[in-house]
Amino acid sequence: MSTTSLTSRLPVPAHAARLREALLAADFTADGLLELLGAPAYAALARSETVPALRATRGDSPLEILVRLFLLQGAVPVERAGAALPLEECLADGWVERDGGEVRAVVDIRPYSGPDGQDWFIVSDLGCAVGGAGGIGRKDEGVVLGVGGASTTLAGITVRTPVASALDLGTGSGIQALHAAQHATLVTATDLNPRALDFTRLTLALSGAREAELLQGSLFEPVDGDTYDLIVSNPPFVISPGARLTYRDGGMGGDDLCRTLVQEAGERLNDGGYAHFLANWQHVEGEDWQDRLRSWVPRGCDAWIVQREVQDITQYAELWLRDSGDHREDPERYRERYEAWLDEFEARRTKAVGFGWITLRKNPAVASGAVEPSIVIEEWPHPVEQPLGDTVRAHFERQDYLRSHDDAALLAEHFALAPEVVQEQVGLPGAEDPEHVVLRQNRGMRRATKVDHVGAGFAGVCDGSLSAGRILDAIGQLMGEDPVLLRDRTPQAIRLLVEEGFLLPAGEAQQG
């Protein structure tokens, strides 16, 4: 793939609607690419491998021309480009440039499918589509990346209820602002890098979305004292020795940037508002990583923090050295950079680095002291089913429910088993009774939990018709156990099943 100088003039969106029409007419969409390239070549593109796609685009159809131009970033003949694009407008606005009898792309335009099947386009620097074991291999200060796994993860965990205002902090190429524009009346996007704001403007225009308020600056500085119903951020969270690359290195020591961002978000959220972040955090010798993150949660907020991955410091350093292409340089220079990363970690007593999601919800009852904050911090490296926005919202709603129901209230409640839950029995073949019973979710977080015979029997008959207390009384009679003792010891197990979404209050289950 070719790259372009970061000093080059970026396109302007004056005729973005015309270009969008041409892209759609050629079926330059996520579905169109899959049909043209086939699954193997399409998957290879996500790994930054272009050879299969080149082989699949040897023809001269408008779609093949657009793939070679914007995805593979090769030169195409002027007459072919003119058949696929409104060429004069694209040349005038700077989307492409002419080189003799050929045309080349100035930016990467990547089809992206919205949550409801919308045909969107993410615009970024050439050669910076994220993917591949070798990283993007660019060291340019101010480079703007396209869509990567982190971007789609953040978009997937975000609660998508209609809101008046949303803030995309560190917008990059604008994917989070694009999502927010579908359900927020006003979207504000900020970035320290002014080129990122230009790319966000292009992404929104080419995707047919409303314009956003674009502000330059670091963290919350550009928004002054404004507050929002939704805050999302995929920040430059990499814990590195220095700040070489704006798109990934935060410029603060250790995980201070992520900590600062999370701690300051509480004052920027309206009551009931959500803030979603991706973050890295240090695992420090002699310190519990969960305690470290608990200290980040701002006053007046509930929090759900999920650690998805942990890397030791050597794995972590190698990952980001590859990302910037340092492994392809002089071996001695590579060793020097590697040593600098390890020196930084040693100085901070860091033994590993965690990666995951942080969600805050501003809760006026917590702010007033009426209830204690719900702060759930867990490790969950297992596969999940995206999008998780509804799952995240339901998590906080369940916390509200549990805080308002003591054990007596739980026993009086009617519950129903969540519709995606199945039961698995594990034991030796031919055994009369299983060794243990597992309840498993087939959607959302895809949790699994082991339950005893009482728990399995309880969950199995929860259909909303009987209260929890009456079900336990019946189980006690059936199993010859004291119903009073069952009522005493079971509410904690019920509470856990509700907290993790296996059981739903009957009213909620009917609404779902």
Side-chain angles (χ1 to χ4, degrees):
M1 288 190 184
S2 64
T3 59
T4 188
S5 169
L6 298 190
T7 61
S8 301
R9 179 177 70 91
L10 289 179
V12 295
H15 300 94
R18 286 286 313 279
L19 175 55
R20 175 176 171 80
E21 290 174 3
L23 299 178
L24 294 177
D27 204 16
F28 187 68
T29 64
D31 289 341
L33 289 183
L34 180 59
E35 183 174 350
L36 171 69
L37 302 178
Y42 190 68
L45 268 183
R47 302 191 300 270
S48 295
E49 296 290 349
T50 61
V51 172
L54 282 167
R55 293 172 62 85
T57 56
R58 294 169 173 169
D60 289 322
S61 70
L63 179 55
E64 289 168 298
I65 293 296
L66 293 173
V67 171
R68 294 205 298 270
L69 186 63
F70 289 115
L71 293 191
L72 306 180
Q73 289 141 31
V76 301
V78 169
E79 63 274 14
R80 297 298 184 189
L85 294 168
L87 187 56
E88 293 306 315
E89 289 94 333
C90 287
L91 286 167
D93 290 355
W95 295 96
V96 298
E97 58 187 8
R98 186 166 180 167
D99 181 11
E102 295 181 322
V103 170
R104 289 185 177 275
V106 172
V107 292
D108 183 298
I109 298 177
R110 190 110 347 194
Y112 177 78
S113 183
D116 296 317
Q118 303 99 320
D119 290 314
W120 291 342
F121 301 96
I122 310 300
V123 189
S124 65
D125 273 314
L126 291 177
C128 291
V130 181
I136 67 166
R138 292 286 294 271
K139 301 183 184 65
D140 309 83
E141 178 66 21
V143 69
V144 176
L145 273 60
V147 180
S151 302
T152 54
T153 293
L154 180 59
I157 66 172
T158 300
V159 174
R160 298 295 176 191
T161 53
V163 294
S165 58
L167 171 64
D168 175 12
L169 194 151
T171 185
S173 56
I175 180 175
Q176 308 305 328
L178 179 57
H179 276 277
Q182 311 308 305
H183 63 102
T185 303
L186 173 66
V187 176
T188 299
T190 72
D191 207 290
L192 182 63
N193 181 3
R195 298 182 75 255
L197 300 178
D198 291 335
F199 274 110
T200 294
R201 183 180 291 109
L202 296 173
T203 290
L204 293 173
L206 196 57
S207 298
R210 297 194 311 274
E211 293 184 2
E213 179 186 35
L214 304 176
L215 302 174
Q216 183 184 356
S218 176
L219 300 179
F220 290 103
E221 292 173 2
V223 300
D224 195 18
D226 294 341
T227 58
Y228 300 87
D229 302 310
L230 174 67
I231 298 172
V232 292
S233 183
N234 177 16
F237 52 66
V238 176
I239 301 171
S240 60
R244 294 172 62 203
L245 301 174
T246 304
Y247 74 86
R248 72 173 201 190
D249 302 323
M252 296 185 183
D255 52 19
D256 282 354
L257 183 136
C258 292
R259 175 186 56 79
T260 300
L261 184 60
V262 173
Q263 288 180 336
E264 293 184 355
E267 296 181 354
R268 304 293 181 170
L269 278 175
N270 294 325
D271 286 347
Y274 288 91
H276 303 275
F277 309 100
L278 299 185
N280 275 174
W281 43 79
Q282 297 165 239
H283 285 229
V284 178
E285 290 184 19
E287 178 183 280
D288 187 312
W289 68 271
Q290 293 182 323
D291 289 341
R292 184 180 191 86
L293 290 175
R294 191 170 285 107
S295 72
W296 291 10
V297 178
R299 184 180 180 277
C301 289
D302 296 319
W304 186 20
I305 301 174
V306 182
Q307 180 168 272
R308 294 286 290 158
E309 183 179 1
V310 180
Q311 290 185 314
D312 67 49
I313 56 175
T314 59
Q315 293 174 310
Y316 189 80
E318 291 161 13
L319 169 67
W320 295 109
L321 287 168
R322 287 195 304 270
D323 172 78
S324 54
D326 289 299
H327 61 307
R328 303 190 188 104
E329 290 187 348
D330 174 70
E332 182 60 33
R333 183 59 176 156
Y334 174 75
R335 284 194 291 271
E336 290 175 1
R337 290 199 182 278
Y338 201 147
E339 289 277 5
W341 283 74
L342 297 184
D343 287 344
E344 175 77 7
F345 288 131
E346 182 178 341
R348 296 182 177 277
R349 297 184 299 113
T350 301
K351 58 184 180 179
V353 177
F355 167 80
W357 321 323
I358 298 176
T359 297
L360 306 176
R361 184 189 61 165
K362 188 68 170 289
N363 188 338
V366 171
S368 68
V371 299
E372 290 294 315
S374 166
I375 301 176
V376 176
I377 303 174
E378 62 177 315
E379 187 165 15
W380 189 255
H382 311 293
V384 299
E385 183 185 52
Q386 289 274 32
L388 282 169
D390 289 342
T391 299
V392 173
R393 177 181 48 79
H395 166 87
F396 288 96
E397 291 176 349
R398 290 195 298 270
Q399 297 301 316
D400 290 341
Y401 172 86
L402 290 171
R403 278 183 293 201
S404 65
H405 286 68
D406 60 16
D407 288 355
L410 282 182
L411 292 174
E413 182 64 89
H414 293 233
F415 294 100
L417 197 64
E420 72 274 11
V421 174
V422 297
Q423 176 178 300
E424 300 175 357
Q425 297 187 3
V426 181
L428 294 174
E432 184 176 346
D433 295 314
E435 293 179 12
H436 59 263
V437 176
V438 174
L439 300 181
R440 187 180 301 277
Q441 299 168 348
N442 286 326
R443 300 180 60 187
M445 292 294 286
R446 293 180 172 171
R447 295 187 187 277
T449 188
K450 187 188 299 185
V451 293
D452 61 16
H453 294 294
V454 172
F458 181 86
V461 298
C462 276
D463 60 4
S465 60
L466 296 175
S467 70
R470 291 191 61 187
I471 293 175
L472 289 177
D473 291 343
I475 291 175
Q477 292 179 359
L478 183 64
M479 301 182 67
E481 294 200 32
D482 187 341
V484 175
L485 294 179
L486 276 182
R487 282 174 171 260
D488 285 342
R489 77 168 193 254
T490 307
Q492 186 58 39
I494 296 175
R495 194 172 292 277
L496 180 61
L497 291 174
V498 172
E499 180 177 351
E500 295 190 340
F502 291 95
L503 291 179
L504 305 176
E508 180 182 333
Q510 291 171 0
Q511 292 174 7

